[in-house]
Amino acid sequence: MKSFLDNFSKDSLTPEELQKLKSKIRTKKVAKGEILLRKGEKSGSSYFVRSGLLRSYTIDEKGKEHIFMFAPEGWVIGDIGLQVNTKTSDLFVDAIESSEIEVIDLDVFLRTDLPSEVSITKRDRRIYVLQKRIIMLMSAPLQDRYIDFIETYPDIVQRVPQKMIASYLGVTPEALSKIRGELSKK
């Protein structure tokens, strides 16, 4: 089973740095449906998925759910906004499947004495800006968004309900069904 620490080259961390990182990461099993982060919270943890499937999403003022991201095995998920501006979370994170995760403390990403592959960079700040933009806009044509979804998440298309894929794409399940039908005819 892969670990978050497997993402670093053997030469990038000293044994002491590796031990410090290990002390900031804990393994946890989560049940399907368990909420790890709620919108409005100040938890700065991120979650590395060892097995299972997580998602992040927001709920608008009308109660409509908008899925921002899925995180299958080997992905990290959280709200980067908590890491770059220490406000409250814009997102919820929950388990779509029973999962084993590594909970990574916020200060792992804020330390400046670690290699750039660990610490927050200007790129990460840009990701936060894009996260906010994507949540608000989601404006590409549906067919393009669906094709991008399949390319981004090829291993989970059969693991999540169509209504969650529709939410991720910002459409109704009926509209998604229509696009899927049109694409299958091509």
Side-chain angles (χ1 to χ4, degrees):
M1 192 173 305
K2 196 170 180 181
S3 169
F4 175 71
L5 296 174
D6 294 340
N7 291 304
F8 307 104
S9 65
K10 296 180 192 285
D11 300 328
S12 67
L13 299 173
T14 66
E16 294 79 21
E17 290 170 329
L18 184 60
Q19 192 54 43
K20 283 180 187 177
L21 277 178
K22 283 182 180 179
S23 73
K24 300 293 183 180
I25 299 171
R26 64 188 188 285
T27 302
K28 178 179 179 181
K29 292 187 182 214
V30 293
K32 178 180 178 178
E34 185 174 336
I35 297 174
L36 302 166
L37 177 65
R38 286 182 165 71
K39 186 175 182 175
E41 289 183 346
K42 286 193 172 192
S43 168
S45 297
S46 290
Y47 311 99
F48 176 84
V49 182
R50 294 180 75 169
S51 66
L53 181 62
L54 304 181
R55 69 176 173 153
S56 61
Y57 60 98
T58 189
I59 299 174
D60 67 22
E61 56 280 341
K62 294 180 182 177
K64 184 176 179 187
E65 181 181 285
H66 302 276
I67 295 178
F68 176 67
M69 182 178 154
F70 292 99
E73 294 83 0
W75 286 47
V76 175
I77 194 169
D79 188 333
I80 199 168
L82 292 168
Q83 298 168 8
V84 297
N85 70 20
T86 63
K87 293 185 179 180
T88 60
S89 175
D90 294 318
L91 299 169
F92 293 87
V93 175
D94 71 5
I96 296 174
E97 299 174 351
S98 294
S99 304
E100 184 173 342
I101 62 172
E102 291 178 350
V103 181
I104 307 164
D105 291 345
L106 170 64
D107 59 345
V108 166
F109 296 99
L110 296 177
R111 293 182 50 191
T112 57
D113 62 330
L114 294 175
S116 62
E117 59 199 280
V118 179
S119 61
I120 286 186
T121 63
K122 290 180 183 179
R123 171 189 52 105
D124 295 317
R125 295 183 193 283
R126 182 66 181 142
I127 290 170
Y128 173 64
V129 171
L130 290 173
Q131 171 182 305
K132 296 291 289 182
R133 180 174 170 80
I134 290 168
I135 290 171
M136 293 185 333
L137 298 177
M138 294 186 186
S139 62
L142 176 55
Q143 184 170 336
D144 293 349
R145 286 181 281 164
Y146 182 65
I147 290 168
D148 182 67
F149 173 81
I150 293 169
E151 291 171 355
T152 303
Y153 302 109
D155 298 330
I156 70 166
V157 173
Q158 302 302 318
R159 293 168 61 185
V160 297
Q162 184 167 315
K163 74 176 191 171
M164 284 188 186
I165 296 172
S167 172
Y168 175 86
L169 297 172
V171 299
T172 64
E174 295 79 16
L176 175 58
S177 182
K178 181 179 177 183
I179 286 294
R180 290 172 77 171
E182 290 171 6
L183 286 171
S184 69
K185 292 177 185 174
K186 288 184 177 184

